[in-house]
Amino acid sequence: MLAYFQTRRPEILFTQSRMPQVHEKIETDYISGAYLLDPFHELHVARVAEGLYRLREFAPDQFQRNEYYASYYRRTTLIDEVAYVAYPADGVSVQICLGRDSSSGRVFSPRDLEVAQRLSAIACGLIRKQWAGLSSSGDYTDAALVRRLRDELVVRNGISLSQRQSEVALLILRGHSSVSIGLRLGISPQTVKVFRKQLYRKCGISSQAELFSLVMPLLSE
């Protein structure tokens, strides 16, 4: 169970798992900054309607091919995950995440999801009641995160990226393809590829793994 806020790190409310790997890095990696690349955090940012969400149905199109997935999510051994999302207070969302790890060897069945969906109104109502005392201030925006990334790259690495190059970098790290990035930013996939080449050249890198290694320490500050 996680609480997401506007301008501060998430708060872990409860964890339980059969396998220790599931939550082994949640404090050191996820909470410290990797959450900014996570699809579930995107649900908070987008302020989706309350209800049940399945990761494989809303994650970016190349989520399982991105470096965040390889370096963090795969290590959790989760093979399927759903979450109840509700809003107990202004600027706060709480998510109750239910997952199947590798010890189960199977994803959620249609029957599992049907039952979970029927319980959605109850789960979301309980979230609102249980965590009504949480609070958050300020407004999260990706634009602010992009500015922070640009500023830190200049100060820490002497790298000066344009606004658009920084936006592309963030979406690459979240697992979006060139087509998906183009749709997000209102530009063509070919233009995205041009920005990506410029980005890699300025950073002196040649892979998404190198981009992840460069950017993650800046997001974790």
Side-chain angles (χ1 to χ4, degrees), residues 69-131:
Y69 182 89
S71 65
Y72 175 78
Y73 198 87
R74 182 181 289 140
R75 292 184 182 183
T76 68
T77 80
L78 289 169
I79 57 176
D80 202 2
E81 189 172 8
V82 299
Y84 293 109
V85 179
Y87 304 92
D90 289 342
V92 180
S93 70
V94 169
Q95 299 184 11
I96 299 178
C97 302
L98 309 171
R100 285 275 171 82
D101 60 36
S102 59
S103 68
S104 69
R106 58 194 175 95
V107 300
F108 291 114
S109 69
R111 172 65 175 167
D112 294 331
L113 297 171
E114 179 187 345
V115 172
Q117 188 64 57
R118 288 208 308 266
L119 295 172
S120 182
I122 297 172
C124 291
L126 289 172
I127 288 173
R128 291 193 301 272
K129 181 178 180 180
Q130 177 68 25
W131 288 292

Side-chain angles (χ1 to χ4, degrees), residues 35 42 90 97 156 164:
Y35 73 92
E42 180 71 13
D90 289 342
C97 302
R156 300 271 293 272
R164 193 62 97 191

Side-chain angles (χ1 to χ4, degrees), residues 126-166:
L126 289 172
I127 288 173
R128 291 193 301 272
K129 181 178 180 180
Q130 177 68 25
W131 288 292
L134 293 176
S135 63
S136 182
S137 60
D139 292 311
Y140 172 90
T141 64
D142 269 351
L145 181 59
V146 167
R147 285 195 300 272
R148 173 179 149 198
L149 175 60
R150 291 180 67 191
D151 292 345
E152 289 295 320
L153 279 171
V154 171
V155 173
R156 300 271 293 272
N157 303 90
I159 298 171
S160 180
L161 298 182
S162 70
Q163 174 79 12
R164 193 62 97 191
Q165 289 163 354
S166 301

Side-chain angles (χ1 to χ4, degrees), residues 156-189:
R156 300 271 293 272
N157 303 90
I159 298 171
S160 180
L161 298 182
S162 70
Q163 174 79 12
R164 193 62 97 191
Q165 289 163 354
S166 301
E167 291 169 345
V168 168
L170 189 60
L171 291 171
I172 289 171
L173 292 173
R174 285 177 174 165
H176 290 273
S177 66
S178 293
V179 172
S180 180
I181 293 172
L183 291 171
R184 284 287 190 106
L185 300 181
I187 56 180
S188 72

